[in-house]
Structures are given as structure tokens and as C-alpha cells.
Amino acid sequence: MNKVLAIAGVVVKELYRRKDFYVLFVLTALITMLLGAVNFFNDPKIVRYLKEVCLLLIWVSTLVIAVVTAARQIPAEKENRTIFPLLAKPVTRWQVILGKFAGCWLAAGIALLLFYLFFAVISESRGGTAAAGAPVTAAASGPHDHDAHAEEAHSDDAGAAAPARRALLTYVEALWLHWMMLAVVIAMVLLGSLIFAMPASNATIQFIVIAGILLLGEHLNKVALRQVEPLQTILQVLYFAIPHLEWYDLRDFIIYDHPPVALWACALATLYAAVYALVFLLAAWLVFRRKGLTT
Amino acid sequence: MTTASPYAWLGLLMTVSFSLACTLQPRVVSWRERAGSGDLIKILLGEGRRLFANHFFIRADVYFHSGYYPSIFDQADKPAPTALAGAHDHDAHTADEHERQMAFLGEPRDWIERFGRHFRITEHTHLTGGGEREILPWLKLSAELDPQRVQTYTVAAYWLRTRLGKVTEARDFLREGLRNNPDSYEILFELGRLYHENEHDAVRARNLWELALRRWNEREGRKKAGEQDLFALEQIAVRLARLEEAEGHLARAIQLLELARRASPHPAALDAQIAELRAKMSTAPGK
């Protein structure tokens, strides 16, 4: 376990040494703040478009960070020939795969946390959930009705706290599921880095696959129904075989202030992501075990 | 051959730069004129901006439904909902029809779809209580990209003045729409409603609705019977008739109601109103 953590630590350090994260963070912040400064019909309370754009940028940025970081791990070790001293420690190939995965996943998690903190600050500064949870003032309470007034104030506080708590839970769920989705993506990219010759080709193919799953994954069964055989069966098999990454996208729940997802559903989705990540990691290990280190 | 001094090179480069600037300046001006304004997006996107404008208009509708909206795959089976544009005149029938359109999800086909519904919005709600403001950025953007899309101005103005109390902003936006579409009877009608309902300026409202009626005749009068926008004609004529009736111009009111009657799918109600006005006119002295 210590060996895995040591390898992971090196990957995390690599993230803050490289400029990818900083550039993407600054770009996200800059675009969001520029859009936030736009005046629409003199209404400063308009916030959802800003949430949508900011979350979209966060999704794109974290995907780029995760895919690019994971895609270059093993090819870079081979190219620099640092893979030989690494495996001579001794470290098994499974530990290398696991360490690289853990490092990329942790690095993506740290980046994700910073992005979501920025999002929460921007969202709340524009009213965010505070506006939705604003208490309704009781103007009708009389001057002698102290107890009733206090009770109302108390219930108002509770009324304001409930949507804020609900929104916080939605944020946490969105962050958690987003991170779980990145686990599947990173495992998939690590497997790809052992199959495809170049990190750039691997990253490009993975971006296309991920975008395809996110945009079309949930609709494949509907599309299949309108096709003739054997395309129908192929699409159905694909539909059941692919990891449904679109489940982990809770952006709409944040944008439209919807109640959080049931915790048991989140737990099951976490289990689903863990299984897929493990499958990809095992496949990566199987490929890596038989692969020469010089090619 | 002697080498030219750095100063000579610098002088040459400056001359080339100045010549290029002089050559390019008139072209840049012509690009601006071609685009109608100095907007770079219009130059870059060309006619493709209409597609984006349509997308942003639909985005506003998605916001109005708080994210519960059919994808293109769901729309393949059922027509797209139109609550945003149709919200002007909600009655029980249109509300039922809208509910029917929005029941696009149906029963889940498999366990993946069933479980996946925990992570998507499955509840049909509309924005209320000032939340309607959230649709405005998309409508503004849609109008920027396609200034000839009349519906964007009328829909945005409706929400601005009726739900958000922003009458000045609604009027300015409609005026902007009218500048871009001087022949639009839809914008003139909406502007008339704003003056009548919000600013209680009957004179301006009448002038605008009269102009809307004229524009309708100019644009729709040439079309075949089945292709005319009769709904708009009925709305303009009825509103104008009410105004004339309130002003005491009963003969003109009857004339307008008869026009509306020809455009209406349910003329019986208008017949009763015409009869009522005729009776009132016969009893009124000097009319």
C-alpha cells in the first residue's frame, strides 16, 4: 500500500508542477466573471445562466485534466526510461497501475474541489440558493405578540436553513458523483495508454468516447429500437456494456435548484463506478503484464 | 552589393505597415456595413447564427420548465412543447394539451433507464414567483443573434412586463425589435398591449393596434386563405374593438368585431357581443 501511495504522491506533485490546472482554472474564472458582469434587463438576480456556463467549464476543464494527466503517465515513464528503476524497487506492475490511477484520481479530486469552491462562491455571491431560501417576513405580527413573533422568526430561520442544507447536499452529491465519474474515465485512459501508441491519440480517442457516452449513452436504447437487425442488437449490447457516465452529471440539479438525489441511489452509482474502474484497471494490468517496457 | 542599414529596414517595414493599414481600413468598414453592425459574431457565423438563435430560444424554454425537457430522441415520438410562447393565453384546453405534450418520458424500458431517472429531472414544473427572470439571458442572446426573429421580442416583453414588473425594459426591447422588424404586426400588437395594460395610454395603444392591423393586411392579406395568421388578426381586432367600445365608438367596435368574427374559430361568442353592441347603439342617442 505504501508503494502505491508513494507513486500516487509523485503524480499529485506533477499536477501542481505543471501549468494545465492553473491555466484552466484561470480561464474558467475569467470567463465566468466576464459573463457575470453582463447586464440583462437591469436584473442583478439572474444567476442560472452563470451557473450553467461555470459548471460546463468545470466539466470540460476537469475532463481535460483527468484525461491528459492519465494519458501521459505510463508512456512518459517508458520514454524517460524511469520505468526500469521504478519496477526495480521492487514494485509490481499492478502496484504501478494502481499507484498511477490513485495519483491521477486524487489530483483530479483536488482540482475538482477547488473548481467547486470557486463555483459555490460565485453562485452564492449572485444570490444562489440564499435567494431561494429567503424567509418571508411576517409583517402582520402585532407589537404585543412577542412569543408568536419569536416562534415565527424561529420557523423562518428553519425555513431558510432547509433549502440551504438541501443545496449544500446537492453540491456535495454533484462533487462526489463527478469524482466517481472521473475514476472510471482515468481507469479507461490508463488502459488506453497501454493500447494506443501515442498519448495524443489515446487522449483524442478517449475524449470522443467520453463525449459520445455523455451525449448519447442514455439514448442508445431508443435509437436501437428504430434500427434493423443486426444493428439493433449491436446497439443494445453497446447500451448495456458502456459505463453510463451521464448518471454522474448532476449539473441540472444545481442549476434548477432541484432536491438532492436519494442517498441510496448515489451509493449504488458509486458502486457501479467502482466496478467499472476496477474492470478497466484489471484490463490495464493484464495488458501491462505482457507488454515489453521498451516498446 | 551593400547591406541595408537597420534604420532602412525599419523605415521599409513602417511603410509596408502603413500601406497595409490604408488598404485594409475600407474593407473593415464594408464588413461592418454588411453585417448591419460591428458585431464580430455576425461576421463569423453568417446565416448560421439563426441556428444558434433558435437553440438559445429553446434553451429559454428549457429554463422555463426547470430542466424538464424532451431531448431530440424524445421529440422523435412527440411534438416539442411550446409553453414559453403559448403562455400568453393559457386556458384549460391549452394547459391540458401542454401537459400531454410534456408526458414524454413514459415507462422506463430497462433497468439502466429506470435507475438513470434518479439522476435527471423528471418533474414537470414551470418557473414562478419571479423565477421567470432566468429565461431572459437566453432570449436576449437569441435576439442578438437573430434580430429578425420576432417571437423572441414578444415573448421576452410579455414576461418582463407581466411577471417581473419591468415595463420600461419591455418597452425598450420591443422598440429595439420594431427597429429591426418595422413591418411586424406582432411587435406592434405587443407594444399596444404594453401601453394599454401597463401605461394606461389608450391613445397610443389605439394608434399602435391600428398600425398593426394595417401591417397585418399588408403582409397576410396577400397570402392564401389557409396560410394567414388569423389568430393574430382576431387578437388585434378584439383588443381594438374593446378599446373603441370603451371610448364610445360603437360603430367602429362593431366593425372590428365583425372582422374578428371572420378570423375566429369560435364566432358564436363574438356574434353575441356584436348583437349586444348593436342593441346598445340603437338605444344610445346620437349614435
Side-chain angles (χ1 to χ4, degrees):
Chain A
M1 192 65 191
N2 284 342
K3 289 169 186 170
V4 172
L5 287 178
I7 297 169
V10 174
V11 179
V12 174
K13 274 179 199 154
E14 191 194 318
L15 175 83
Y16 65 73
R17 278 191 200 132
R18 289 183 68 95
K19 292 180 182 68
D20 307 18
F21 169 72
Y22 306 109
V23 169
L24 289 166
F25 188 82
V26 168
L27 262 179
T28 302
L30 207 66
I31 295 171
T32 308
M33 285 193 280
L34 271 175
L35 281 173
V38 179
N39 174 21
F40 292 106
F41 300 106
N42 305 319
D43 197 332
K45 287 183 188 168
I46 298 172
V47 69
R48 286 188 184 175
Y49 79 99
L50 200 62
K51 282 184 180 180
E52 179 165 355
V53 174
C54 187
L55 282 173
L56 176 71
L57 291 170
I58 289 173
W59 264 75
V60 173
S61 301
T62 48
L63 270 176
V64 169
I65 289 169
V67 171
V68 171
T69 310
R72 67 174 168 237
Q73 288 307 316
I74 294 170
E77 295 277 7
K78 279 203 232 170
E79 201 181 315
N80 300 332
R81 298 188 171 275
T82 46
I83 192 85
F84 297 110
L86 183 65
L87 288 171
K89 290 286 183 196
V91 175
T92 64
R93 292 194 182 197
W94 170 246
Q95 283 170 330
V96 171
I97 292 282
L98 213 57
K100 293 291 182 189
F101 167 78
C104 292
W105 194 41
L106 277 173
I110 295 165
L112 207 58
L113 195 66
L114 292 171
F115 272 116
Y116 271 79
L117 275 175
F118 168 75
F119 171 75
V121 169
I122 287 289
S123 173
E124 292 307 309
S125 69
R126 291 284 294 236
T129 48
V136 179
T137 48
S141 59
H144 307 295
D145 202 3
H146 290 299
D147 289 345
H149 188 86
E151 209 167 273
E152 265 175 14
H154 180 74
S155 68
D156 282 351
D157 287 347
R165 258 203 311 273
R166 206 179 67 173
L168 184 68
L169 185 58
T170 313
Y171 276 36
V172 172
E173 280 183 351
L175 174 67
W176 175 257
L177 290 180
H178 193 163
W179 196 34
M180 288 300 130
M181 193 252 345
L182 289 180
V184 182
V185 166
I186 289 165
M188 221 159 76
V189 177
L190 277 177
L191 171 63
S193 70
L194 292 164
I195 295 170
F196 301 108
M198 298 292 288
S201 58
N202 178 28
T204 310
I205 291 166
Q206 298 293 349
F207 276 127
I208 294 168
V209 169
I210 294 160
I213 294 175
L214 286 172
L215 296 171
L216 301 171
E218 65 177 316
H219 304 296
L220 274 178
N221 60 340
K222 290 172 222 162
V223 177
L225 289 175
R226 295 195 188 91
Q227 308 302 319
V228 289
E229 289 295 355
L231 196 60
Q232 190 178 84
T233 309
I234 292 169
L235 284 177
Q236 286 284 5
V237 169
L238 204 63
Y239 173 72
F240 284 102
I242 56 167
H244 282 271
L245 302 178
E246 73 277 1
W247 292 349
Y248 302 87
D249 182 1
L250 291 191
R251 281 179 297 160
D252 280 355
F253 283 70
I254 295 178
I255 296 166
Y256 303 112
D257 297 327
H258 268 262
V261 176
L263 288 175
W264 67 264
C266 277
L268 269 181
T270 304
L271 191 68
Y272 179 86
V275 169
Y276 265 97
L278 201 62
V279 166
F280 287 126
L281 287 177
L282 279 171
W285 172 65
L286 285 174
V287 176
F288 192 40
R289 208 174 51 154
R290 291 161 190 277
K291 212 166 173 75
L293 296 174
T294 49
T295 52
Chain B
M1 193 174 162
T2 54
T3 317
S5 73
Y7 293 110
W9 280 112
L10 194 65
L12 182 70
L13 283 172
M14 282 176 75
T15 313
V16 170
S17 304
F18 184 73
S19 309
L20 264 175
C22 289
T23 316
L24 287 174
Q25 172 62 15
R27 291 179 191 220
V28 171
V29 171
S30 76
W31 289 344
R32 280 185 189 164
E33 280 168 1
R34 239 187 302 161
S37 74
D39 197 342
L40 188 68
I41 295 171
K42 287 175 189 168
I43 300 164
L44 289 175
L45 296 177
E47 286 305 298
R49 66 197 159 83
R50 290 186 203 282
L51 286 175
F52 288 101
N54 189 46
H55 172 76
F56 290 135
F57 188 83
I58 292 170
R59 198 82 209 125
D61 207 14
V62 175
Y63 269 47
F64 184 64
H65 289 97
S66 300
Y68 179 76
Y69 209 75
S71 66
I72 50 165
F73 300 99
D74 299 312
Q75 282 174 17
D77 297 329
K78 287 177 179 162
T82 52
L84 187 64
H88 293 59
D89 300 284
H90 255 315
D91 57 25
H93 174 71
T94 50
D96 284 349
E97 175 69 15
H98 179 60
E99 279 300 329
R100 202 177 52 76
Q101 282 177 340
M102 289 304 282
F104 60 86
L105 277 179
E107 281 297 306
R109 294 168 185 84
D110 46 68
W111 70 268
I112 288 179
E113 198 176 332
R114 182 172 291 111
F115 185 60
R117 285 194 187 174
H118 289 287
F119 306 98
R120 66 176 288 184
I121 293 166
T122 51
E123 197 185 342
H124 181 204
T125 53
H126 288 171
L127 289 176
T128 51
E132 297 93 338
R133 64 169 56 87
E134 300 294 349
I135 67 173
L136 297 174
W138 302 112
L139 293 175
K140 177 81 177 162
L141 211 54
S142 179
E144 288 285 328
L145 287 169
D146 185 2
Q148 273 67 52
R149 195 189 163 99
V150 168
Q151 203 182 14
T152 313
Y153 298 104
T154 56
V155 167
Y158 170 81
W159 293 109
L160 278 167
R161 72 180 178 85
T162 60
R163 304 292 174 92
L164 302 169
K166 289 184 170 287
V167 179
T168 313
E169 283 80 3
R171 190 184 54 216
D172 292 347
F173 198 49
L174 283 172
R175 290 230 170 262
E176 184 190 320
L178 199 58
R179 273 194 300 277
N180 293 322
N181 307 276
D183 296 333
S184 168
Y185 56 83
E186 298 99 327
I187 296 177
L188 286 167
F189 172 66
E190 194 61 33
L191 204 52
R193 280 182 76 175
L194 183 145
Y195 278 114
H196 187 236
E197 292 167 18
N198 299 94
E199 305 209 336
H200 310 290
D201 188 342
V203 178
R204 278 197 186 189
R206 187 200 288 119
N207 290 342
L208 284 162
W209 285 337
E210 288 285 2
L211 189 60
L213 209 54
R214 217 179 306 150
R215 293 274 182 268
W216 189 94
N217 282 321
E218 284 166 12
R219 268 178 54 192
E220 300 291 312
R222 282 179 247 141
K223 291 182 185 171
K224 288 179 196 162
E227 293 168 3
Q228 289 176 325
D229 183 4
L230 294 177
F231 179 69
L233 176 64
E234 188 195 352
Q235 279 202 315
I236 300 166
V238 167
R239 294 270 174 173
L240 199 50
R242 300 264 179 279
L243 199 65
E244 296 290 7
E245 186 190 346
E247 299 281 308
H249 307 142
L250 298 183
R252 175 70 179 143
I254 291 168
Q255 198 185 355
L256 286 162
L257 284 179
E258 277 170 349
L259 183 66
R261 190 192 171 282
R262 287 205 290 277
S264 174
H266 311 290
L270 289 170
D271 279 340
Q273 286 174 36
I274 291 167
E276 196 183 311
L277 280 183
R278 284 215 171 102
K280 207 192 277 186
M281 209 166 117
S282 61
T283 54
K287 295 278 174 186

